[in-house]
Amino acid sequence: MPTWRERTNKERLKLPQQRMAEQAAELRIRNMKEVPLGFSAAQARLEAQRCLQCSKARCVAGCPVGIDIPRFVAQIADGDFAAAAATIKEKNLLPAICGRVCPQEEQCQVVCAVTKALKSLDRSVSIGKLERFVADWEREQGSAALPPLPKPSGRRVAVVGSGPAGLTVAGDLIRQGHAVTVFEALHRPGGVLVYGIPEFRLPKEIVYREVEYLEKLGVQFRYNFVVGKTRSLEELLGDGYDAIFIGTGAGLPKFLDLEGENLCGVYSANEYLTRSNLMRAFEFPRSDTPLARSRRVAVIGGGNVAMDSARTAARLGAETVYLVYRRSEAEMPARSEEIYHAREEGIVFHLLQNPTRFLGDQRDWVVGLELQRMELGEPDASGRRRPVPIQGSEWVLEADTVIVAIGNEANPLMAQTAPALRTTRRGNIVVDAQSQRTSMKGVFAGGDIVLGAATVILAMGEGRRAAQAIAKYLEDGKWSEAPAVPEACSAAPVEPSPAPAA
Amino acid sequence: MYEIVRKETLAPGICRYVVRAPEIARSRKAGQFVIVRPRDDSERIPLTIAGGEGETIVLVVQEVGKTTAVMADMVAGESLADVCGPLGQPARVQHLGTVVVIGGGIGVAPAYPIAEAMRNAGNSVIAILGARNQELLIMVEEMSRVADRVVLTTDDGSRGLKGLVTTALQSLIEEGRPIAEVIAIGPAVMMKKVCEVTRPRRIPTLVSLNTIMIDGTGMCGGCRVSVGGQTRFVCVDGPEFDGHQVDFDLMIRRQAMYAEQEHLAYQQYLDRQRG
């Protein structure tokens, strides 16, 4: 009986892909618990053995933070889960989160050699599920060992925002002996991980545990602190912070600017999700924040936020949830796994439809939306076929709640109060690509506030780069040697968003 | 953090809280507000800052539902779970001449720091304070210290003029003295009516809107109003707006969005805590 290492590639490719158990659709729309239930240890080891352990592993390059995937997968196959956790944590401090929300099918799994050999992305090595398994295993063990910390450097860093970018910067810098304070505007940490991503995709407990770990390492968290209002960036530098990292995210909801958009019952996805996720409105009246009692909900959009909104509405007791999207399913930016889950949960897709206006009753409450059918024309700037309205095709979809989930832009609060901070026309902070330096001395930025609404893992990658540059700056104090920050507010603004607009 | 240093009852259902919040106290400006959660399981509500000194801020709160009832049942020495601020744009303060500052009901509280700031900017300030009855008139002494003239009105005539603030405003206008600006803060209907008085006379009128809010930093759009046909977020573009441009009817209807849930939560709290 050969050990797994002795098996040939051909034998490995014959191993059956392990299916992660999931809550059945009819059951899970009545609760907020996670849908995928995790691997057992036996499943994880078997799935790990499907990896071909390529010498030139393309998956590593596919990962935005360069996790040594073949090594951690081999450690799982060996049954050494603690070693696998340590390997992942060399590059990624938040594996329980990334294992759940990363679009692995676009990053590591898509370039996996098994994907290529079996000619099927669906049958790649389940790298994401393995990462999640290891992270959950470690968390269940109780105490993740604290790494030894160097003696204090005497330097202080302010991190603005406790989302994925900020948490990554905090984790990297605290481990190098710098004093780190994270300033968070809301009353709980996590940023979009807590207000945006629903409980059933990412349990908040996981995020809070990661934050507790950082606190054990010595990171200070200050809540209800809005940098730009409570204290300005300039004032923080004056308060003795040697460097500042801005990770304030893409927290400005986009509306459609249509007639009736301010009717009661029309929400931005941010509001709907913040009420449900952060403020636990799904438990009203046990929690104090209310949410509309909806029978028919129409969600407009095609990204992950739209899926999250629709699936949350279903769990909140709506009879019917519609997803309205102006292109076809092929163009939807959402993860195919989430589209699949949404369909399973009974969400009705109205594709190639676009709203023209919202209709209300005499109480100014929304009762429906007028939709216009679309057809796909020539590709637009994002490379996808542009939706073209079909004249005269208007019809009315009845709905008592509408959720506008068409994207988020940079929250302008920071830029408004820091005129020295150069931004693009859209309000994204302009940075040097290597070092994440902004136009303000001592101030760095990363994540959605730079990229536009993107992903957790990209935010972490930016945070990692920024932390490296901050550490160097804290050491040598050199600022002017950095490559020039590109001109921002001229005719050709930097268009940073890698994720296509829906 | 956020300790209630002092608490007093100003009128039936209206309490004044002095809260320790050093950073907010340091950076606050007239017209700004905070978002408060009295307890760890509370919702987030906006409350205007009515003053403060040293490391404290002053909040004047009327009990209208569960969260304000929870606050009313707290005592000095206890701490509010979360207080975030200062939020919103500061009030526009400039030297104009004679300005009329109108506070209706609980609106007197946020009107006070604005009246003070306008006076400090060299304006002649006339304050009109209105309430349903004399018990509900608050901060009359404080206003008297920062205004050159104070006119009181009560619906039932138990103190001052009998009538609404708009009645007093009409009389004031008819006295003939040029009024450079009117600032009105109070229930939405009151602010709307004030604007109807000043509009034909083209007297610039600023109002401070009190919509439902969640985050208070421009992140969700829950507080949006229509001003001059454009959508604005009260939490980051306001709370002060040109009253003649505000669609008050829409704002009033949006404020009522959760009336049923609010009533349920309040009733349950009263039954449980005070039943």
Side-chain angles (χ1 to χ4, degrees):
Chain A
M1 182 70 177
T3 65
W4 73 268
R5 277 196 170 74
E6 289 158 6
R7 288 214 181 96
T8 63
N9 278 1
K10 201 163 158 199
E11 285 165 338
R12 293 181 197 194
L13 287 172
K14 286 219 180 81
L15 291 173
Q17 186 186 44
Q18 297 302 296
R19 295 235 154 278
M20 188 179 273
E22 289 188 341
Q23 272 200 79
E26 326 79 69
L27 192 66
R28 71 193 192 227
I29 55 165
R30 307 243 169 278
N31 64 55
M32 284 295 185
K33 300 201 204 121
E34 283 195 86
V35 175
L37 297 170
F39 274 154
S40 65
Q43 278 183 304
R45 292 185 68 168
L46 195 54
E47 182 62 22
Q49 291 175 32
R50 296 179 66 232
C51 171
L52 303 182
Q53 295 292 315
C54 309
S55 48
K56 287 207 183 78
R58 298 233 288 282
C59 52
V60 180
C63 172
V65 294
I67 295 175
D68 191 338
I69 296 170
R71 177 147 58 97
F72 94 75
V73 172
Q75 286 161 333
I76 294 175
D78 285 339
D80 191 350
F81 304 145
T87 301
I88 296 173
K89 284 197 158 161
E90 281 169 23
K91 295 289 164 100
N92 177 356
L93 273 191
L94 307 173
I97 294 167
C98 293
R100 284 168 166 78
V101 306
C102 261
Q104 296 98 4
E105 65 279 5
E106 288 165 24
Q107 293 168 175
C108 49
Q109 287 168 196
V110 65
V111 292
C112 171
V114 174
T115 299
K116 193 164 172 212
L118 297 179
K119 296 190 177 44
S120 166
L121 178 54
D122 283 344
R123 292 167 70 199
S124 85
V125 173
S126 307
I127 300 169
K129 294 183 165 83
L130 290 173
E131 179 182 28
R132 180 202 155 145
F133 167 78
V134 169
D136 289 352
W137 177 88
E138 191 186 48
R139 195 175 64 254
E140 276 149 30
Q141 295 310 298
S143 53
L146 291 180
L149 293 174
K151 73 176 203 297
S153 68
R155 298 270 185 261
R156 298 172 69 208
V157 180
V159 173
V160 185
S162 64
L167 293 179
T168 299
V169 172
D172 281 1
L173 292 177
I174 195 80
R175 289 193 294 183
Q176 295 178 49
H178 305 301
V180 180
T181 304
V182 177
F183 295 94
E184 167 57 50
L186 294 173
H187 58 280
R188 293 257 193 274
V192 73
L193 302 173
V194 162
Y195 76 72
I197 304 181
E199 185 73 17
F200 57 83
R201 269 218 297 143
L202 178 60
K204 305 309 143 223
E205 204 39 54
I206 291 176
V207 180
Y208 296 149
R209 287 282 220 113
E210 302 290 2
V211 169
E212 267 168 35
Y213 178 72
L214 289 175
E215 284 180 307
K216 285 199 186 113
L217 290 175
V219 176
Q220 306 271 317
F221 283 83
R222 299 284 314 273
Y223 301 109
N224 304 305
F225 200 113
V226 184
V227 175
K229 285 284 194 212
T230 312
R231 206 104 179 100
S232 70
L233 281 178
E234 295 275 9
E235 284 166 339
L236 280 183
L237 288 169
D239 287 343
Y241 288 99
D242 302 294
I244 302 181
F245 174 79
I246 302 174
T248 47
L252 181 74
K254 282 215 295 245
F255 282 100
L256 291 158
D257 275 333
L258 296 176
E259 179 193 323
E261 206 162 22
N262 294 332
L263 289 166
C264 297
V266 179
Y267 289 92
S268 71
N270 267 5
E271 184 185 352
Y272 194 83
L273 292 172
T274 296
R275 282 178 179 272
S276 178
N277 301 332
L278 175 69
M279 305 307 297
R280 306 184 74 83
F282 64 87
E283 288 177 338
F284 183 88
R286 203 146 47 103
S287 104
D288 284 349
T289 300
L291 194 49
R293 291 205 176 105
S294 317
R295 279 186 52 229
R296 289 204 192 93
V297 182
V299 177
I300 302 165
N304 290 318
V305 176
M307 295 306 133
D308 285 344
S309 303
R311 297 172 66 201
T312 297
R315 282 158 175 75
L316 260 53
E319 282 171 20
T320 323
V321 180
Y322 305 103
L323 190 98
V324 174
Y325 181 56
R326 60 187 183 148
R327 295 184 221 245
S328 73
E329 189 163 329
E331 286 87 28
M332 283 178 123
R335 294 188 68 192
S336 40
E337 181 179 315
E338 306 309 338
I339 298 173
Y340 174 70
H341 283 147
R343 279 195 188 280
E344 274 193 320
E345 288 163 16
I347 283 136
V348 176
F349 282 50
H350 281 304
L351 301 170
L352 291 165
Q353 306 277 357
N354 204 31
T356 51
R357 62 194 172 114
F358 303 102
L359 310 166
D361 62 14
Q362 68 271 36
R363 298 174 308 141
D364 270 346
W365 199 280
V366 69
V367 292
L369 49 162
E370 185 180 81
L371 298 177
Q372 192 177 38
R373 292 181 213 278
M374 314 295 272
E375 55 189 355
L376 293 179
E378 291 304 301
D380 68 10
S382 72
R384 294 171 301 155
R385 296 180 68 191
R386 180 198 307 271
V388 176
I390 298 173
Q391 298 306 323
S393 65
E394 291 83 350
W395 61 288
V396 173
L397 176 67
E398 283 180 22
D400 52 65
T401 304
V402 175
I403 303 172
V404 180
I406 58 169
N408 286 297
E409 291 181 326
N411 190 303
L413 212 141
M414 184 68 64
Q416 272 170 5
T417 54
L421 206 61
R422 216 172 293 153
T423 58
T424 66
R425 263 210 308 267
R426 275 178 166 176
N428 297 107
I429 297 177
V430 176
V431 297
D432 167 68
Q434 255 75 59
S435 64
Q436 308 292 133
R437 289 179 199 220
T438 69
S439 56
M440 257 179 101
K441 181 169 189 238
V443 181
F444 300 73
D448 282 2
I449 192 66
V450 169
L451 299 172
T455 60
V456 167
I457 190 74
L458 284 173
M460 287 176 49
E462 297 239 304
R464 168 116 320 138
R465 261 197 305 284
Q468 277 166 8
I470 291 171
K472 187 161 179 303
Y473 172 63
L474 291 177
E475 201 188 341
D476 62 24
K478 290 186 186 151
W479 186 262
S480 55
E481 277 185 22
V485 173
E487 279 302 315
C489 296
S490 53
V494 174
E495 293 294 344
S497 177
Chain B
M1 263 279 179
Y2 318 126
E3 184 199 334
I4 300 173
V5 170
R6 200 162 63 246
K7 181 187 170 215
E8 47 192 305
T9 301
L10 297 185
I14 302 179
C15 291
R16 178 178 189 271
Y17 306 79
V18 178
V19 178
R20 187 181 322 279
E23 273 124 0
I24 303 174
R26 181 158 61 159
S27 25
R28 71 176 180 94
K29 297 196 171 49
Q32 290 186 304
F33 63 96
V34 290
I35 293 260
V36 172
R37 284 180 358 118
R39 285 201 311 227
D40 208 42
D41 52 5
S42 297
E43 55 168 343
R44 292 169 64 96
I45 60 168
L47 295 171
T48 40
I49 302 173
E53 72 179 339
E55 298 203 326
T56 63
I57 60 171
V58 173
L59 304 175
V60 175
V61 185
Q62 181 166 43
E63 181 180 319
V64 294
K66 171 163 180 190
T67 305
T68 44
V70 167
M71 276 185 82
D73 290 342
M74 291 176 81
V75 299
E78 288 190 85
S79 292
L80 300 170
D82 297 286
V83 181
C84 178
L87 302 173
Q89 299 295 331
R92 208 177 58 199
V93 176
Q94 44 189 319
H95 178 74
L96 296 167
T98 300
V99 301
V100 178
V101 177
I102 306 177
I106 195 72
V108 174
Y112 168 64
I114 296 175
E116 185 182 38
M118 286 306 254
R119 159 97 135 227
N120 290 343
N123 294 292
S124 176
V125 177
I126 303 174
I128 302 177
L129 311 184
R132 284 208 307 278
N133 57 55
Q134 57 129 350
E135 268 193 314
L136 294 168
L137 273 173
I138 58 170
M139 300 175 70
V140 177
E141 265 187 52
E142 285 95 325
M143 275 303 224
S144 304
R145 274 187 252 126
V146 300
D148 298 288
R149 188 173 149 196
V150 177
V151 178
L152 302 178
T153 73
T154 43
D155 293 9
D156 66 358
S158 49
R159 193 173 169 190
L161 298 171
K162 180 166 192 245
L164 307 171
V165 295
T166 39
T167 327
L169 177 62
Q170 292 269 30
S171 306
L172 203 58
I173 293 169
E174 276 149 29
E175 279 176 22
R177 182 160 154 198
I179 296 169
E181 185 173 87
V182 169
I183 297 164
I185 310 183
V189 169
M190 175 217 118
M191 294 190 285
K192 179 183 173 189
K193 291 212 168 97
V194 166
C195 290
E196 292 324 303
V197 169
T198 57
R199 192 196 304 275
R201 293 169 166 84
R202 296 188 214 274
I203 303 173
T205 305
L206 295 174
V207 294
S208 185
L209 302 184
N210 55 343
T211 52
I212 293 171
M213 288 185 193
I214 301 100
D215 64 290
T217 58
M219 189 261 265
C220 79
C223 63
R224 63 194 191 278
V225 290
S226 182
V227 181
Q230 303 284 316
T231 297
R232 294 278 175 263
F233 291 4
V234 174
C235 67
V236 292
D237 302 317
E240 191 177 75
F241 291 99
D242 173 353
H244 294 148
Q245 303 285 318
V246 173
D247 182 343
F248 281 102
D249 291 335
L250 176 66
M251 180 185 132
I252 289 166
R253 287 208 257 278
R254 282 183 63 84
Q255 274 180 323
M257 241 187 95
Y258 300 104
E260 203 186 300
Q261 287 108 314
E262 287 165 358
H263 180 80
L264 173 72
Y266 192 22
Q267 204 50 57
Q268 283 189 349
Y269 181 75
L270 293 177
D271 292 342
R272 216 172 43 240
Q273 295 296 127
R274 302 183 190 164

